[in-house]
């Protein structure tokens, strides 16, 4: 495995799997890392492939009604599909992604952008 630890502190834990082009982050406090920003606590996985970017978000603590992340916008990408619980917009050069996590029991929600 070709995995790098990107963060391991009181605010966040994150790894990057180079061979899969997969980034996984767990944010225990609002903070940012590698261009991604958690506006709330929550977990996020970003899988980049040729012409697409899949983002999966959850609230494993099951304590929040909404989780919010800022994700760098990819040039030329548009929404391909998303879970109904997700709303998104642009904020500067980022996608502002919000997920309704109320009573969802820690479930994961997906949004896919692509060319």
């Amino acid at each position: 495995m070709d995995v790098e630890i990107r963060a391991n502190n009181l605010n966040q834990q994150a790894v990057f799997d180079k061979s899969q082009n997969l980034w996984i982050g767990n944010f225990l406090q609002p903070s940012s890392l590698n261009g991604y920003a958690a506006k709330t606590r929550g977990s996020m996985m970003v899988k980049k492939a040729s012409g697409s970017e899949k983002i999966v978000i959850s609230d494993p603590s099951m304590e929040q009604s909404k989780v919010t992340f800022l994700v760098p916008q990819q040039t030329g990408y548009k929404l391909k599909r998303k879970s109904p619980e997700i709303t998104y917009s642009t904020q500067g050069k980022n996608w502002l992604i919000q997920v309704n996590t109320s009573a969802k029991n820690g479930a994961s929600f997906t949004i896919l952008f692509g060319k």
Side-chain angles (χ1 to χ4, degrees):
M1 292 180 64
D2 197 5
V3 176
E4 292 179 356
I5 296 174
R6 296 284 175 98
N8 188 17
N9 58 56
L10 295 176
N11 291 327
Q12 55 199 207
Q13 290 81 40
V15 296
F16 178 66
D17 182 335
K18 291 180 186 180
S19 65
Q20 299 294 315
N21 204 11
L22 175 66
W23 185 91
I24 302 170
N26 186 35
F27 293 84
L28 304 173
Q29 299 293 328
S31 56
S32 60
L33 179 68
N34 296 351
Y36 301 96
K39 297 298 188 180
T40 61
R41 292 176 287 131
S43 296
M44 179 172 55
M45 178 186 81
V46 179
K47 170 83 170 147
K48 293 183 180 184
S50 179
S52 69
E53 182 173 36
K54 178 181 179 180
I55 302 162
V56 181
I57 296 174
S58 69
D59 174 22
S61 72
M62 298 183 281
E63 295 175 348
Q64 302 173 103
S65 60
K66 176 174 66 173
V67 293
T68 305
F69 285 94
L70 285 174
V71 175
Q73 200 171 2
Q74 302 298 314
T75 303
Y77 281 24
K78 61 182 181 180
L79 177 69
K80 294 294 187 179
R81 69 176 182 270
K82 68 177 184 64
S83 299
E85 296 82 1
I86 293 178
T87 59
Y88 83 101
S89 61
T90 57
Q91 186 175 58
K93 295 182 179 184
N94 297 297
W95 286 305
L96 174 65
I97 301 171
Q98 296 182 317
V99 183
N100 175 356
T101 57
S102 60
K104 303 297 190 272
N105 299 321
S108 297
F109 304 94
T110 303
I111 186 166
L112 177 68
F113 295 100
K115 292 184 178 185

